[in-house]
Amino acid sequence: MPRTVILGAAGFIGSHLVDRFLERGHEVIGVDNFITGSPDNLAHHEGNERFTFLEHDITRFIEIDGPVDFILNFASPASPIDYLELPIQTLKVGALGTHNALGLAVAKKARFLQASTSEVYGDPLEHPQKESYLGNVDTIGPRGVYDEGKRFGEALVMAYHRTHGLETRIDRIFNTYGPRMRLGDGRVVPAFISQVLADKPLTVFGDGRQTRSFCYIEDQVDGIERLLYSSEVLPVNIGNPEEHSMLSLAETLQSIASTRLPLVYSELPTGDPKVRCPDITRAKQVLGWEPKVPLIEGLSRTLDYYRERSRSNA
């Protein structure tokens, strides 16, 4: 059976990838240091003989016994709250962590998939964003630690591909949401859900007209799996091209939850992009992929998950 290493396995997307590749019959080795991930995200795999977990910080040398077929690098703080509180750790995992992960891939002759991000486009002057767009990033602003860490990671991946002939893939992830996101991680979907569950006003930053596109986790994992098995070396946008303002997101979630809560407005964070929407032409062409889960359905599933957790913890 294939052996797959997932770095950042206890995180939101990483834990869903563990699920998917175990379902596919792989032996999975999960690696995480729990700086932002949670053991709870992997607890349901306890006792599974095809799953091994290694608690490890990948900014240090990574050692895995035996052969490895695939390595997926999802190890990094990913929410603004996390990378603003952990700026140096975020830069280190983007640079040193990616370097160590690529070194492991070369040693094992494994195919390597790098989790990149739509943040490489910064506050974009092109809309929607194509993979060919080079971005508008503030290198010294507070968000630069994440943006530049991911941009450097992409450059390093391509250098290993060109120098060592390593099989590499790059996924530029656009806003992804769903079960297992930390409610306190600062991203808008879990933030709104936590306020709905607590019956508190919804916090809207700026005037709420800034837009994002929201991709449900199931669709994102499908895209990642297709990319891993494809022959596409250049970056591919994986995200939902439907654009929603923060105000419309608040309205949609309240409609699903059958509630009506007031909105409170707060100052827009420094460097917060005004727009974010992927051009997924390449994903359609080279992967045969496009998202299937509508926002209303994805938000309903996510809200149900957190309601159930809330009842279980009561």
Side-chain angles (χ1 to χ4, degrees):
M1 68 184 75
R3 292 188 88 218
T4 298
V5 173
I6 298 176
L7 309 173
F12 164 50
I13 297 179
S15 65
H16 284 278
L17 289 170
V18 171
D19 295 350
R20 173 61 60 90
F21 286 102
L22 286 173
E23 288 170 6
R24 295 289 191 248
H26 291 219
E27 180 184 347
V28 175
I29 301 155
V31 181
D32 207 299
N33 66 348
F34 300 126
I35 192 170
T36 57
S38 170
D40 293 343
N41 291 339
L42 299 173
H44 55 293
H45 294 305
E46 187 175 350
N48 187 332
E49 293 182 353
R50 287 190 290 109
F51 179 64
T52 304
F53 181 77
L54 173 64
E55 185 173 351
H56 181 72
D57 178 351
I58 69 163
T59 64
R60 296 183 286 112
F61 179 77
I62 308 167
E63 187 171 1
I64 302 290
D65 292 332
V68 173
D69 299 288
F70 305 107
I71 299 171
L72 293 84
N73 183 21
F74 283 75
S76 176
S79 78
I81 281 183
D82 290 337
Y83 58 71
L84 292 177
E85 288 183 353
L86 302 163
I88 294 172
Q89 293 92 329
T90 301
L91 283 166
K92 285 178 70 176
V93 77
L96 299 176
T98 303
H99 179 252
N100 287 333
L102 286 162
L104 178 66
V106 169
K108 300 294 184 179
K109 297 181 173 59
R111 183 174 298 181
F112 184 90
L113 187 144
Q114 172 77 354
S116 190
T117 172
S118 61
E119 298 298 330
V120 300
Y121 300 120
D123 191 2
L125 303 178
E126 175 183 293
H127 190 70
Q129 294 82 60
K130 297 178 182 178
E131 291 89 346
S132 58
Y133 177 55
L134 300 182
N136 178 38
V137 176
D138 179 1
T139 62
I140 60 173
R143 298 172 67 99
V145 297
Y146 184 65
D147 303 355
E148 289 302 306
K150 287 298 187 179
R151 286 164 69 94
F152 177 80
E154 287 193 9
L156 195 58
V157 167
M158 292 306 297
Y160 268 75
H161 168 72
R162 294 180 181 119
T163 302
H164 297 289
L166 188 67
E167 288 193 60
T168 57
R169 310 288 181 263
I170 299 173
D171 173 12
R172 286 185 180 160
I173 299 169
F174 280 70
N175 296 67
T176 300
Y177 72 98
R180 299 184 199 158
M181 295 187 86
R182 291 191 352 260
L183 286 180
D185 82 354
R187 286 178 278 194
V188 65
V189 171
F192 279 174
I193 286 177
S194 66
Q195 290 169 333
V196 165
L197 293 177
D199 203 31
K200 292 181 177 179
L202 304 187
T203 302
V204 175
F205 292 97
D207 61 10
R209 293 188 176 89
Q210 67 271 32
T211 64
R212 298 291 184 271
S213 62
F214 298 98
C215 184
Y216 189 63
I217 183 62
E218 181 181 295
D219 284 332
Q220 181 65 229
V221 168
D222 286 345
I224 292 166
E225 185 178 22
R226 285 176 182 244
L227 178 58
L228 179 68
Y229 286 115
S230 78
S231 59
E232 182 58 45
V233 173
L234 297 176
V236 179
N237 290 337
I238 304 291
N240 193 316
E242 288 188 5
E243 210 171 350
H244 301 271
S245 72
M246 300 303 96
L247 291 175
S248 68
L249 178 67
E251 183 178 340
T252 300
L253 185 57
Q254 291 194 83
S255 175
I256 293 169
S258 300
T259 189
R260 179 55 58 188
L261 298 167
L263 303 181
V264 294
Y265 291 83
S266 185
E267 185 177 354
L268 194 67
T270 301
D272 195 58
K274 301 175 189 67
V275 292
R276 178 74 83 234
C277 182
D279 182 314
I280 62 168
T281 302
R282 182 177 288 172
K284 289 179 179 179
Q285 291 175 342
V286 303
L287 307 181
W289 176 91
E290 59 184 315
K292 297 177 181 178
V293 181
L295 182 65
I296 290 177
E297 181 181 341
L299 287 176
S300 296
R301 292 188 200 175
T302 306
L303 183 60
D304 287 345
Y305 168 82
Y306 287 108
R307 279 176 166 166
E308 181 59 36
R309 283 195 63 184
S310 181
R311 284 192 290 267
S312 300
N313 295 332

